[in-house]
Amino acid sequence: APAGPDPDAVTGTVVVFAAASLTEAFTDLADEFEAAHPGTAVTVNLGSSAALAQQLTAGAPADVFAAANEAAMGVVSDAGLVRGEAAVFARNSLRIAVPAGNPAGVTGLADFARRDLTVALCAPEAPCGMLSARVFAYAGITPAPDTLEQDVKAALVKVERDEVDCALVYRTDVLAAGGAVDGIDFPGADEAVTEYPIATLGDAPNPGAAEAFLDFVLSGTGRAALAAAGFGVG
Amino acid sequence: MRAPDRAGQAALEALVLVERDGFRLDVRLTVPSGGVLAVLGPNGAGKTTLLRALAGLIVPNAGRVRVGDRILDDPAAGIHLEPQARGIGVVFQDYLLFPHLSALDNVAFGPRAHGVPAREARERSQAWLTRVGIGDRAGARPAALSGGQSQRAALARALVLEPSVLLLDEPLAALDAATRMDVRADLSGYLREFGGATVLVTHDPLDALILADEIIVLEAGVVTQRGTPQEVSRAPRTDYVARLVGQNLLRAASLRGLAGGGSALTLAGGLEVSSADEPSAAGMLAPGSAESGPGQSTPAAVFSPSAVFVHSARPGAGSPRNVWAARVAGIEQHAAIVRIRCLTELGGHTVLADVTPAAMGELRLRPGDQVWLSVKAVEVHLTAAA
Amino acid sequence: MRAPDRAGQAALEALVLVERDGFRLDVRLTVPSGGVLAVLGPNGAGKTTLLRALAGLIVPNAGRVRVGDRILDDPAAGIHLEPQARGIGVVFQDYLLFPHLSALDNVAFGPRAHGVPAREARERSQAWLTRVGIGDRAGARPAALSGGQSQRAALARALVLEPSVLLLDEPLAALDAATRMDVRADLSGYLREFGGATVLVTHDPLDALILADEIIVLEAGVVTQRGTPQEVSRAPRTDYVARLVGQNLLRAASLRGLAGGGSALTLAGGLEVSSADEPSAAGMLAPGSAESGPGQSTPAAVFSPSAVFVHSARPGAGSPRNVWAARVAGIEQHAAIVRIRCLTELGGHTVLADVTPAAMGELRLRPGDQVWLSVKAVEVHLTAAA
Amino acid sequence: MVGYEVRADDRAAARAAGRAGDRRGGGVPGALWVPAVIAIAFLVLPLVALLAKAPWGSIPEQLFTPEVGDALRLSLLSALAATALCVLFGVPLAWVLVRSSDWASPIFRRVLRALVLVPLVLPPVVGGVALLLLLGRRGLAGQYLYDWFGVSIPFTTTAVVLAQTFVAMPFLVLAVEGALRGADRRYEDAAATLGASRWLIFRRVTLPLVAPGVSAGAVLCFARALGEFGATITFAGSFPGVTQTMPISAYLALQSNPDGAIVLSLLLLAVSLVVLVSLRDRWIGVGT
Amino acid sequence: MVGYEVRADDRAAARAAGRAGDRRGGGVPGALWVPAVIAIAFLVLPLVALLAKAPWGSIPEQLFTPEVGDALRLSLLSALAATALCVLFGVPLAWVLVRSSDWASPIFRRVLRALVLVPLVLPPVVGGVALLLLLGRRGLAGQYLYDWFGVSIPFTTTAVVLAQTFVAMPFLVLAVEGALRGADRRYEDAAATLGASRWLIFRRVTLPLVAPGVSAGAVLCFARALGEFGATITFAGSFPGVTQTMPISAYLALQSNPDGAIVLSLLLLAVSLVVLVSLRDRWIGVGT
Ligand SMILES: Nc1ncnc2c1ncn2[C@@H]1O[C@H](COP(=O)(O)OP(=O)(O)OP(=O)(O)O)[C@@H](O)[C@H]1O
Ligand SMILES: Nc1ncnc2c1ncn2[C@@H]1O[C@H](COP(=O)(O)OP(=O)(O)OP(=O)(O)O)[C@@H](O)[C@H]1O
Ligand code: MOO
Ligand SMILES: [Mg+2]
Ligand SMILES: [Mg+2]
């Protein structure tokens, strides 16, 4: 059995389960945390939020869980695995992604209803799909998608390869894709925002370090790193 | 290494009943120590099935297999010894040398399986390979051995274990004619030295005649004849055996004694055959008797094709009491003789006649020609056919 | 479909050179229309390779194959006709009946491939199956056919196409002894009716003697002897042939004529053999000549084992001019005779002698015993051995 | 002297052998049962775990929806079509692979075979990307299809079938290759001497001889195509009724309704096992 | 009676001698080249597209990082370990499957074989879920492992190996099953009459006879294990150096750097092909 929590001793390994969309931000954060706390090592397990939640409920030994939506965090906290309350540490909102140069001349959300365009959306089961549905409801548009992707990245790949004329993805993804994808803002994007909750886990093998990592993410350094990746913070 | 007192304990006694898919095998056999029993029979008669049962590779439905005083199979008593525990050596029809092992390792397989240390097993195996004349091929894989060499290796593999019983399934069938003569002679030598009981399956009568002390003839799963090679070749009980040993066999519808001695047989179609034997000779079932009930025996005449004279015109009265009109059905040219296949006009019985090429030249026979056949009564023997 | 004027054009003439893996086949052969050439030879001599080359399944390295006036192979001229276009029928060693087709469909395969309508192909095939005696087994799959039936089906499959050349690879090897006799007789009948050229591969001399007009003996890829069956069996040129036809063959170191006629051979070790033949007989290479250069010929004595008399004491002076001291090396009991294998004291030459069982009973010989062998000079023939 | 004592366990072994008939020298040795049973357990227990966690109460409502019906139909049809394509193109490929030994260098064959294994090693998602790069609207070949004929393959059922064919093809090729290698070529020689053209020989002799291998390969293909997910969703996308196969449905359900995903997977499994077990006998021949 | 397999050296001899040599009645008929070439194109062109789009300039910096080295090492080691497990457990399973015909009903065998196919049909992600449900800390079996021995399998390299074993096992079993079915059982009979125990027969006779089948199955296993993604990421997670195999790295790279993902996949491919092509000859035997 693990030793009792000792808030002063921040050493050892911190196991962080993080949504795949946090890949770069958390890789940077982990390095900085290790630099700030010599003697610690952060291992990040990346995957889709739902899969991570599944792993945690199956008893995965983790210290911190950073999810891409409340639903996934809900699954874990409903299972009684979260220590204390989950805190929101980042926000993300949607943007229209078009292939570089916007060959189809997409201008706004209304183009998603055009039958002559090839349109990709996230599947309604995926977090970004739920968000998209809210956006379209708000705008009063019925989209005509050609494919319902399993996650944002799948949709983004198709934009990068110019297989679809437009897709609705997270702002952070547009940023990460660099020059391969152009982003187009649309009005009402801020009405549908997904919040990234983070929490330490009740079964955390290294509760002290877990707390320290969570604090670090919420700290100024953490927020700066997240903002650099395109997340909304604050 | 040679068991000092194997005599007596190696005798094989078996009654084997196997039934499957409508095929029924029912054989009783006994082989004394040092004896060689040949099992002769046409394709599909059950020869291999019999050997597999003796080797323990088939569990018989009923019967009893005994070697010396050990019971190997007794289905009624729930006894079945695994092949591993029987001490029976088998040389399979196509040798079944392990393709991934050298000749030496093939022979050493058995001793190794019996826990003999590797070094000793290899020495012993090398000695046996040398003994069967392929000591220099010890390192070769079976694929690199000729047919005759494979046969010898398989023999060595079986003999190195000094089994009390040796089963050989057509050991010569895959060899070419010249190799075959050599191997047959060698095999004859090994079997004479081998102290255990041997069962030799073959469908070549020559093998049986040269190698065996006793023959059983298996047809469609049952023994139709048993006896020494001489007995079987002299008094074939079935058409199969008669053809095999090159005798004429004519079954009679009736048999009666003649006043002046000898007997007369009447065949289907009214053909009359006279023999110098007394009628009682046909009742003597002793040596050539079959398993099948005595009710199935038919008196029959046996005579050699060389005892048949062929005439292109009806011969005048003379010593041969048998003179039959016949028609030539086929002519086979052999090296030293010509064999003529004739059909008698009465009853259409097949009679083979051997004549010299010189005689053939005079007769100028062609298929379909009319001929007369004569056989001296003293050349015609009576027997009990199945 | 029957070629109307096959006579003359069907003659097969071939010179085949195949080289591979250190094995070299070099054969010249000619078969007239209606003729049957038997190719006799030990395992691995190249018999199957020869047939495969004739059938077009192997491209020869050099040579020439002609059927009638069609050139089938001429590597020098870049000519090679595909097997499909050769009009050569093949009966393979293990038949190679298509396992997924009935006997009828196997036979009908060829006609169908030649564009004959299904109905007609089946009728023609049924007729051939009936002709070879298995009309009632038309619907059976090869697995359900016995060895003899398979052989007949394979024959029908080749013959239904009325080929101008028929190649048979050991057509009787897989049959049991009794079936074999029947099939051999039937085959002899078909071959007589068949108007084309036939090449028959076998390693059974009896097949060759009964079925063939001419024999070539193939050993290690080269022809060591050719001639009619009678010539080959009378004057074997190699030990292989001598063993096969059951003759003694003794090679001489020197040969000289005798004053009173006849000749004397001196063998290695000083053994002297007298023959009534004139020395010139050994030079006559005509009928039994081999391909190999004349320089390889050796004068030799040939005589039958039955011409050898065996004495347990030195015989007195008499007519046999050949009297040799020898030692018994082996004894084989055959049906009607006993074959004794002797080694002469001079030179250790092997001499086989056949005696009757009765004579054997008097001699009471055992291996190792000293004997004297006598052969009349008139029974000893001269020949040119390879 | 090698001894042949009657051992104590002889009788036990004898009784175990029991009924009459062929008994093979190579009966299953006890030592092999242990790993075999472990292997079976390892393959079966995860399935048991799935079944144990399945929400049996809500199954009817999960299953009897038009969406599930669509996905199931699409999965079965596309897997069958992919299997057919694999057979149609894979059998000739296997044949060339085996028979190229007659004229090609060993290197040629080794490289060819290695290339056949590519779809097996490539992570399916990457395989899908590769297909996009080739056949997509801006793909190496796809751009011409699109520019000249207005044909775009991604996001169509055709794309699903192609993705499944791509990942399943190696199974067919390798199974048929093995069968061809084991077949006795002398039957083909015999057919040639009977005047059959190469094509006729292939159809009427070679193909029937390797039929069991083709069937076994087709079964593997079908199973693999049915379970395909990564290449399909990447190359074909996922639209209900057009490109959303059962594995994609199940994966999507996993994000919002994990129990539903399990139910869908079990359905897929049940259907495919029924298909495989029932086809087997007629397909692969008796005794297989 | 003598088989006429065309052997490698035979062909060399034929070529040396000019055009002479065995020509088989079943040469490749022209009609078969068309589908064969299409099949090859279909398998190879996507790869060409990948290569064409690969960012060749940035490859060195993408590849020569410690993370890629770790992932590659982990992939190769875990795939090898999984292959070893498949052989260790799958060969006995195949054996029981084939030999059960001696005593078990045909139904038993058909069900057993169907179960062996399960991991093939199950979408890999669902397979991973099933493994979690079985071996997770709260899993059907895993809870006891954890409570009694403190052992937790998921998220360890062991879990990677198990996930790969689960998806790869069917390949080995089916390949070995085919080989066993084709092997001549009379060699086992011969060994039995020589006194060999069943276990000795298995080791020294049966196994050497089916070695080519085992090798072929092992190659398939290795390839499949190397490409495994869904079951691994679900059951084992993706910890760099511990559970993050190449396919997972490639998938994660796809999030931020799609070109990098392609490079990683090509590296995986190149390494595995080198392994397969170089092992092939010693492994599978000459002439295969
Ligand atoms: N495994 C088997 N299952 C069913 N029937 C069989 C089996 N093996 C052989 N038989 C049948 O049993 C009978 C006897 O076959 P067996 O092999 O013993 O004959 P044989 O005398 O050895 O023939 P051959 O001379 O051809 O070797 C045949 O009718 C054969 O079809
Ligand atoms: N495919 C092959 N590759 C290499 N060598 C071969 C091949 N087939 C046969 N040989 C060799 O060619 C020689 C002649 O073989 P072939 O089969 O023609 O002999 P055969 O006279 O038919 O023998 P058998 O009486 O055993 O049928 C043998 O030395 C054999 O080993
Ligand atoms: O994992 Mo997410 O679920 O990256 O969108
Ligand atoms: Mg047999
Ligand atoms: Mg041959």
Side-chain angles (χ1 to χ4, degrees):
Chain A
D6 177 357
D8 299 327
V10 178
T11 56
T13 303
V14 193
V15 179
V16 179
F17 277 38
S21 49
L22 295 167
T23 304
E24 279 134 326
F26 267 47
T27 310
D28 293 347
L29 275 174
D31 289 345
E32 291 180 32
F33 180 78
E34 284 168 2
H37 299 271
T40 60
V42 180
T43 30
V44 185
N45 179 34
L46 298 158
S48 83
S49 303
L52 295 176
Q54 183 106 41
Q55 292 173 351
L56 289 169
T57 53
D63 294 302
V64 178
F65 179 34
N69 60 3
E70 300 285 1
M73 185 59 81
V75 168
V76 179
S77 59
D78 288 353
L81 299 174
V82 166
R83 181 195 297 270
E85 286 290 309
V88 172
F89 69 98
R91 293 188 180 77
N92 217 343
S93 57
L94 296 176
R95 248 187 140 192
I96 297 171
V98 296
N102 194 3
V106 172
T107 54
L109 271 189
D111 290 317
F112 280 78
R114 281 170 60 186
R115 302 242 161 236
D116 59 324
L117 294 188
T118 311
V119 173
L121 290 178
C122 285
E125 294 89 343
C128 58
M130 298 174 197
L131 211 55
S132 304
R134 271 160 58 193
V135 167
F136 286 114
Y138 181 82
I141 292 169
T142 307
D146 294 273
T147 177
L148 301 172
E149 299 292 315
Q150 85 268 29
D151 58 32
V152 169
K153 293 301 170 184
L156 202 63
V157 164
K158 295 187 169 87
V159 178
E160 285 168 350
R161 300 291 161 216
D162 198 3
E163 292 301 336
V164 296
D165 297 309
C166 56
L168 215 49
V169 304
Y170 290 122
R171 321 178 65 86
T172 51
D173 296 313
V174 177
L175 201 65
V181 167
D182 290 346
I184 298 172
D185 286 315
F186 59 92
D190 296 339
E191 302 305 320
V193 169
T194 186
E195 300 191 321
Y196 284 58
I198 189 169
T200 58
L201 296 165
D203 282 348
N206 191 355
E211 280 312 327
F213 185 79
L214 189 138
D215 292 343
F216 187 75
V217 170
L218 294 173
S219 73
T221 329
R223 293 152 75 100
L226 287 162
F231 289 98
V233 289
Chain B
M1 229 176 114
R2 180 157 271 275
D5 55 350
R6 203 164 32 203
Q9 84 165 16
L12 167 69
E13 210 182 298
L15 171 61
V16 174
L17 279 115
V18 176
E19 222 161 334
R20 61 173 171 195
D21 291 334
F23 176 76
R24 200 183 134 85
L25 178 75
D26 178 356
V27 177
R28 183 178 55 71
L29 57 84
T30 314
V31 192
S33 310
V36 178
L37 173 75
V39 180
L40 214 63
N43 292 123
K47 306 183 294 299
T48 298
T49 306
L50 171 63
L51 287 202
R52 288 180 64 81
L54 293 177
L57 296 167
I58 294 177
V59 183
N61 298 67
R64 201 179 152 88
V65 177
R66 191 176 60 73
V67 171
D69 39 22
R70 289 167 71 218
I71 306 290
L72 305 189
D73 269 309
D74 191 347
I79 295 174
H80 168 72
L81 236 66
E82 297 289 294
Q84 284 89 338
R86 293 192 161 219
I88 291 186
V90 187
V91 176
F92 291 89
Q93 194 160 349
D94 32 10
Y95 314 138
L96 296 179
L97 293 173
F98 305 124
H100 55 290
L101 299 180
S102 69
L104 185 68
D105 288 336
N106 260 282
V107 179
F109 186 94
R112 294 288 294 130
H114 283 86
V116 177
R119 195 199 162 86
E120 190 190 334
R122 292 172 71 88
E123 275 165 12
R124 216 183 267 180
S125 302
Q126 181 64 56
W128 264 101
L129 284 177
T130 306
R131 192 156 159 205
V132 299
I134 53 167
D136 53 329
R137 304 292 287 145
R141 289 281 175 95
L145 295 177
S146 81
Q149 292 166 341
S150 301
Q151 198 276 340
R152 289 157 201 249
L155 193 64
R157 186 173 71 170
L159 289 177
V160 69
L161 290 174
E162 311 259 341
S164 44
V165 173
L166 183 62
L167 309 177
L168 304 161
D169 199 353
E170 313 214 4
L172 307 174
L175 305 182
D176 72 74
T179 312
R180 192 164 180 158
M181 291 183 206
D182 292 347
V183 176
R184 190 189 286 136
D186 293 349
L187 187 60
S188 163
Y190 302 131
L191 293 185
R192 242 185 292 283
E193 282 176 44
F194 172 65
T198 302
V199 180
L200 167 79
V201 158
T202 175
H203 45 226
D204 184 340
L206 205 56
D207 293 343
L209 293 172
I210 294 177
L211 299 171
D213 305 316
E214 206 195 341
I215 291 177
I216 63 176
V217 178
L218 202 59
E219 289 178 70
V222 296
V223 176
T224 53
Q225 183 156 15
R226 61 173 82 223
T228 65
Q230 282 66 28
E231 285 164 353
V232 171
S233 57
R234 237 176 268 143
R237 276 178 52 83
T238 69
D239 295 329
Y240 167 75
V241 180
R243 266 195 303 172
L244 220 51
V245 299
Q247 294 273 26
N248 286 299
L249 177 70
L250 297 179
R251 283 189 181 69
S254 72
L255 165 69
R256 69 200 142 83
L258 292 182
S263 48
L265 300 94
T266 309
L267 277 64
L271 193 74
E272 293 275 331
V273 178
S274 305
S275 165
D277 287 1
E278 292 304 312
S280 58
M284 275 175 51
L285 296 184
S289 75
E291 251 66 303
S292 28
Q296 293 190 15
S297 269
T298 311
V302 175
F303 51 95
S304 157
S306 61
V308 180
F309 287 77
V310 181
H311 317 265
S312 53
R314 173 179 283 277
S319 98
R321 270 189 278 161
N322 295 299
V323 179
W324 308 314
R327 216 161 263 288
V328 175
I331 298 169
E332 278 181 27
Q333 176 72 54
H334 290 221
I337 56 140
V338 180
R339 171 159 291 184
I340 307 174
R341 181 186 298 263
C342 307
L343 293 178
T344 61
E345 295 206 329
L346 294 176
H349 301 279
T350 299
V351 176
L352 303 177
D354 286 352
V355 301
T356 61
M360 189 66 197
E362 285 163 25
L363 286 165
R364 303 190 160 280
L365 293 180
R366 325 224 72 218
D369 287 357
Q370 160 99 57
V371 288
W372 279 265
L373 308 175
S374 65
V375 188
K376 291 199 286 183
V378 65
E379 299 272 14
V380 178
H381 296 285
L382 290 192
T383 187
Chain C
M1 234 180 118
R2 178 162 269 274
D5 54 351
R6 202 162 34 199
Q9 83 165 17
L12 167 68
E13 211 182 297
L15 171 60
V16 174
L17 280 115
V18 176
E19 223 162 332
R20 61 173 170 193
D21 290 332
F23 176 77
R24 198 182 135 85
L25 178 76
D26 178 354
V27 177
R28 184 179 55 70
L29 57 85
T30 315
V31 192
S33 310
V36 178
L37 173 74
V39 180
L40 213 63
N43 292 123
K47 306 181 296 296
T48 297
T49 306
L50 171 63
L51 286 202
R52 288 178 64 81
L54 294 177
L57 296 167
I58 294 176
V59 183
N61 297 68
R64 199 179 153 89
V65 178
R66 190 177 61 72
V67 172
D69 39 21
R70 290 166 71 216
I71 307 289
L72 304 189
D73 269 308
D74 190 346
I79 295 174
H80 170 70
L81 237 65
E82 297 290 292
Q84 284 90 338
R86 294 190 160 221
I88 292 186
V90 187
V91 176
F92 292 87
Q93 196 161 347
D94 33 11
Y95 314 138
L96 295 179
L97 294 173
F98 304 125
H100 55 290
L101 299 180
S102 69
L104 184 68
D105 288 336
N106 261 282
V107 179
F109 186 94
R112 294 288 294 131
H114 282 86
V116 176
R119 195 198 161 87
E120 191 190 333
R122 293 173 69 87
E123 274 166 11
R124 218 183 267 177
S125 303
Q126 181 64 57
W128 264 102
L129 284 178
T130 306
R131 195 158 156 202
V132 299
I134 52 167
D136 53 329
R137 304 291 288 143
R141 290 282 175 94
L145 295 177
S146 82
Q149 292 166 342
S150 301
Q151 199 278 340
R152 288 157 201 250
L155 193 65
R157 186 173 70 169
L159 288 176
V160 70
L161 290 174
E162 312 259 340
S164 45
V165 173
L166 182 63
L167 310 177
L168 304 162
D169 199 352
E170 312 214 4
L172 307 174
L175 305 184
D176 72 75
T179 311
R180 193 165 180 158
M181 292 183 206
D182 292 347
V183 175
R184 189 189 285 136
D186 294 347
L187 187 59
S188 163
Y190 303 131
L191 293 184
R192 241 185 292 283
E193 283 175 42
F194 172 66
T198 302
V199 180
L200 167 78
V201 159
T202 175
H203 42 227
D204 184 339
L206 204 56
D207 292 344
L209 292 172
I210 293 176
L211 299 171
D213 305 316
E214 208 195 339
I215 290 177
I216 63 177
V217 178
L218 202 60
E219 288 178 71
V222 297
V223 176
T224 52
Q225 183 157 14
R226 60 175 81 223
T228 64
Q230 281 67 28
E231 286 164 353
V232 171
S233 57
R234 235 176 269 144
R237 276 178 53 82
T238 69
D239 294 331
Y240 167 75
V241 181
R243 264 196 303 171
L244 220 49
V245 299
Q247 294 273 28
N248 285 300
L249 177 71
L250 297 180
R251 284 188 180 70
S254 73
L255 165 69
R256 66 198 144 83
L258 292 182
S263 48
L265 301 95
T266 309
L267 277 62
L271 194 74
E272 293 273 333
V273 178
S274 304
S275 165
D277 289 0
E278 293 304 313
S280 59
M284 275 175 50
L285 296 185
S289 75
E291 250 67 303
S292 29
Q296 293 190 14
S297 269
T298 311
V302 175
F303 51 95
S304 156
S306 61
V308 181
F309 288 77
V310 180
H311 317 265
S312 52
R314 174 180 283 276
S319 99
R321 271 189 278 159
N322 296 301
V323 178
W324 309 314
R327 218 161 264 288
V328 175
I331 297 169
E332 278 181 27
Q333 175 72 55
H334 290 221
I337 56 141
V338 179
R339 171 159 291 183
I340 307 174
R341 182 184 298 262
C342 307
L343 292 178
T344 62
E345 295 205 330
L346 294 175
H349 300 278
T350 298
V351 175
L352 302 179
D354 286 351
V355 302
T356 61
M360 188 66 195
E362 284 164 27
L363 287 165
R364 301 190 162 281
L365 293 180
R366 327 222 72 217
D369 285 358
Q370 159 100 58
V371 289
W372 279 265
L373 307 175
S374 66
V375 187
K376 291 199 287 183
V378 66
E379 298 272 13
V380 177
H381 296 284
L382 290 191
T383 188
Chain D
M1 167 75 199
V2 181
Y4 293 103
E5 302 307 307
V6 182
R7 292 170 315 202
D9 50 344
D10 279 350
R11 267 168 186 277
R15 234 168 283 113
R19 65 220 165 80
D22 275 55
R23 61 147 306 290
R24 315 297 311 216
V28 178
L32 284 187
W33 272 106
V34 177
V37 166
I38 292 177
I40 294 172
F42 184 59
L43 292 174
V44 170
L45 284 182
L47 195 65
V48 171
L50 273 187
L51 290 171
K53 298 279 176 152
W56 292 104
S58 64
I59 280 191
E61 81 200 50
Q62 306 260 15
L63 287 188
F64 300 113
T65 66
E67 290 76 28
V68 171
D70 279 352
L72 193 57
R73 191 173 320 112
L74 180 66
S75 269
L76 287 175
L77 290 181
S78 61
L80 281 177
T83 305
L85 284 180
C86 283
V87 171
L88 216 57
F89 292 94
V91 170
L93 175 51
W95 211 59
V96 167
L97 205 56
V98 172
R99 296 302 153 84
S100 62
S101 64
D102 292 355
W103 43 264
S105 71
I107 295 295
F108 173 87
R109 285 166 57 229
R110 268 160 67 189
V111 170
L112 203 59
R113 193 206 311 261
L115 288 175
V116 167
L117 285 172
V118 163
L120 211 58
V121 180
L122 217 54
V125 172
V126 179
V129 170
L131 284 173
L132 265 187
L133 291 176
L134 178 70
L135 294 174
R137 205 162 62 167
R138 298 283 176 269
L140 222 54
Q143 57 184 312
Y144 302 107
L145 285 179
Y146 187 69
D147 292 348
W148 297 347
F149 310 107
V151 172
S152 173
I153 294 176
F155 315 116
T156 62
T157 305
T158 306
V160 175
V161 173
L162 288 184
Q164 292 176 345
T165 305
F166 182 71
V167 296
M169 182 82 87
F171 299 102
L172 191 103
V173 174
L174 293 174
V176 176
E177 194 201 351
L180 275 173
R181 207 178 286 288
D184 190 342
R185 295 185 63 179
R186 294 178 312 143
Y187 287 113
E188 299 178 349
D189 290 346
T193 67
L194 294 171
S197 68
R198 291 171 169 197
W199 174 236
L200 187 71
I201 293 173
F202 176 76
R203 270 196 310 122
R204 293 261 291 154
V205 178
T206 317
L207 215 47
L209 286 177
V210 299
V214 176
S215 311
V219 166
L220 283 172
C221 269
F222 179 73
R224 179 69 185 88
L226 212 53
E228 213 313 294
F229 163 72
T232 309
I233 196 159
T234 307
F235 179 50
S238 102
F239 197 79
V242 181
T243 59
Q244 199 175 97
T245 58
M246 285 292 284
I248 296 178
S249 286
Y251 180 83
L252 291 176
L254 213 52
Q255 307 214 4
S256 55
N257 173 12
D259 287 344
I262 292 175
V263 172
L264 289 179
S265 301
L266 289 177
L267 175 65
L268 175 65
L269 207 60
V271 169
S272 65
L273 291 188
V274 166
V275 170
L276 292 180
V277 169
S278 65
L279 274 183
R280 215 160 172 85
D281 276 59
R282 257 169 303 152
W283 233 11
I284 305 219
V286 180
T288 315
Chain E
M1 291 182 183
V2 179
Y4 290 96
E5 297 307 304
V6 181
R7 293 174 311 213
D9 40 359
D10 194 11
R11 256 174 289 116
R15 228 173 293 115
R19 223 168 53 81
D22 276 53
R23 63 148 304 290
R24 313 300 312 217
V28 179
L32 284 188
W33 272 105
V34 177
V37 166
I38 293 178
I40 294 172
F42 184 59
L43 292 174
V44 170
L45 285 182
L47 193 65
V48 171
L50 271 187
L51 289 171
K53 298 279 176 149
W56 293 103
S58 63
I59 280 192
E61 81 200 49
Q62 306 260 16
L63 287 189
F64 301 113
T65 66
E67 289 76 28
V68 170
D70 279 354
L72 194 57
R73 191 171 322 110
L74 180 66
S75 269
L76 287 175
L77 290 181
S78 60
L80 280 177
T83 305
L85 283 181
C86 282
V87 170
L88 216 58
F89 292 94
V91 170
L93 175 51
W95 211 59
V96 167
L97 206 54
V98 172
R99 296 302 153 84
S100 61
S101 63
D102 292 355
W103 42 264
S105 71
I107 294 296
F108 173 87
R109 286 168 56 230
R110 268 159 68 188
V111 169
L112 201 60
R113 192 205 313 259
L115 288 176
V116 167
L117 285 171
V118 163
L120 212 58
V121 180
L122 216 55
V125 172
V126 178
V129 170
L131 284 172
L132 262 187
L133 291 178
L134 178 70
L135 294 173
R137 217 160 55 170
R138 309 240 194 294
L140 221 53
Q143 57 185 312
Y144 302 107
L145 285 179
Y146 186 68
D147 292 349
W148 297 346
F149 310 107
V151 172
S152 173
I153 294 174
F155 315 110
T156 61
T157 305
T158 306
V160 175
V161 173
L162 287 184
Q164 292 176 345
T165 306
F166 182 72
V167 296
M169 182 81 87
F171 300 102
L172 190 104
V173 174
L174 293 174
V176 176
E177 195 202 351
L180 275 174
R181 209 180 285 289
D184 190 342
R185 295 185 64 179
R186 295 177 313 144
Y187 287 112
E188 300 179 348
D189 289 345
T193 67
L194 294 170
S197 68
R198 292 172 167 195
W199 175 235
L200 188 71
I201 293 173
F202 176 75
R203 270 196 311 122
R204 292 262 292 153
V205 177
T206 315
L207 214 48
L209 286 177
V210 299
V214 175
S215 312
V219 166
L220 283 172
C221 270
F222 179 72
R224 179 69 186 89
L226 213 53
E228 213 313 293
F229 163 71
T232 310
I233 196 168
T234 308
F235 180 49
S238 80
F239 291 100
V242 181
T243 63
Q244 200 176 98
T245 57
M246 285 293 283
I248 297 177
S249 282
Y251 171 81
L252 292 174
L254 215 53
Q255 308 277 333
S256 52
N257 173 10
D259 287 342
I262 292 176
V263 172
L264 289 179
S265 301
L266 288 177
L267 174 65
L268 176 65
L269 207 58
V271 170
S272 65
L273 290 188
V274 165
V275 170
L276 292 181
V277 169
S278 65
L279 274 183
R280 211 154 176 90
D281 277 59
R282 259 169 302 151
W283 230 12
I284 305 220
V286 179
T288 315

